[in-house]
Amino acid sequence: MKRVFISIDIPLNIKEKIKKIQDILPELNGKKIEEENLHLTLKFLGNLPDKKIGIVKEKLNEIDFRKFESEIDGIGFFSEKFIRIVWLHLSNCEELQKEIDFRLSGLFEKEQRFMCHLTIARIKSIKDGKEFISELKKIKFSKMKFLVDNFKLKESILAEDKPTYKTLAEYLLREY
């Protein structure tokens, strides 16, 4: 069994800019996501046997999708009452996610509430939620555009300090 997900990797030059944003986050008890692990999860598939991973690979090979530009254009969190994740918003990835859902529809449930976000920090606790939110809203950065020319099927290998992600397959997107 392997813990598997489908993702878009973030280019190195963008990761370097994200690191600068992580460096100015308000004080938190938690962890900032390691540069090498920054990615957009398009679909989490869970723990799968090798046979089902083979079927997923075949289905993903059927995808015929054009390269596109994505943009990181905002910072946020999911809930003011229970702040556990700080994320950056990405644009233009929804259609690829829908295509993946369509191709895997006989094997997995469709995503009910997909939101293009890149987790940059996981929070265990914060001293003052309102102050944290206020400081987070002060963070400004230039929009970061990058070309999405592939997506990957990955295995997540969990460890105490951090997960390791191993690429199981890469799927190239076609020219415009």
Side-chain angles (χ1 to χ4, degrees), residues 52-64 99-100 102-107 151 171:
K52 192 164 185 180
I53 291 171
I55 295 168
V56 168
K57 286 179 179 179
E58 288 174 21
K59 295 284 188 185
L60 294 177
N61 267 328
E62 297 172 4
I63 292 177
D64 180 22
E99 180 66 16
I100 289 168
F102 173 73
R103 295 293 172 178
L104 299 178
S105 63
L107 301 169
F151 65 94
Y171 302 91

Side-chain angles (χ1 to χ4, degrees), residues 133-150:
I133 292 167
S134 174
E135 291 301 311
L136 201 61
K137 288 180 177 178
K138 291 178 187 174
I139 296 174
K140 304 292 182 219
F141 58 88
S142 298
K143 294 179 181 182
M144 296 171 255
K145 293 183 181 187
F146 62 96
L147 180 68
V148 176
D149 60 3
N150 71 75

